[in-house]
């Protein structure tokens, strides 16, 4: 993985379509905000999720690792609205220098470094890799996405990538 300097105008998810992953929240938030969302994945909830999706949401099915990596590199940010014990997906996005908008529970608390509280900071925030939202609601996720957008210049792609070096496979072995 390599940190990408430029971002395109879409949010990204890569996930199985299981209820606890809360893909529905991401879809509804992007519908409300009229933001593009690209989703790589499949699963039991697919039919229901497709019905929820507005015109800005694109389902890409399962894709090879190279396509997933390309989307990580090009996205604005990763959406991670479910609660996981660990969650490798945020680490993969951060390995590409992308911030993560995550539900502030579970494994995300161990891997994502949130922006400091609202301030007049205009440059990169030392070590920040994402934004947390505190309740699994559309409103809470929308607010976190708006914060991510408003403070996007505070995320430094190379610093985000450097943060995930501590989770390198060699270190875990």
């Amino acid at each position: 993985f390599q940190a990408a300097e430029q971002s395109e105008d879409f949010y990204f998810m890569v996930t199985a379509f299981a209820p606890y992953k809360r893909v529905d929240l991401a879809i509804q938030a992007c519908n409300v905000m009229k933001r593009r969302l690209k989703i790589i994945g499949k699963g039991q909830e697919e039919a229901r999720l497709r019905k929820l999706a507005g015109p800005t949401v694109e389902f890409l099915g399962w894709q090879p690792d190279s396509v997933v990596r390309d989307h990580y590199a090009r996205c604005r940010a990763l959406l991670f609205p479910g609660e996981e014990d660990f969650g490798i997906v945020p680490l993969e996005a951060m390995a590409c220098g992308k911030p993560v908008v995550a539900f502030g529970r579970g494994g995300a608390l161990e891997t994502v470094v949130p922006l400091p509280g609202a301030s007049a900071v205009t440059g990169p925030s030392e070590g920040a890799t994402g934004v947390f939202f505190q309740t699994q609601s559309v409103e809470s996720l929308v607010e976190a996405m708006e914060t991510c957008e408003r403070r996007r210049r505070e995320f430094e792609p190379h610093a985000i990538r450097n943060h995930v070096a501590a989770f390198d496979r060699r270190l875990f072995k």
Side-chain angles (χ1 to χ4, degrees), residues 14 23 39 45 74 86 88 142 154 163:
V14 56
V23 179
I39 308 170
E45 293 259 289
R74 294 186 298 117
F86 182 70
I88 195 74
V142 164
E154 295 180 53
H163 167 71

Side-chain angles (χ1 to χ4, degrees), residues 27 107 113 146 155:
I27 289 171
V113 178
E146 288 172 342
F155 295 111

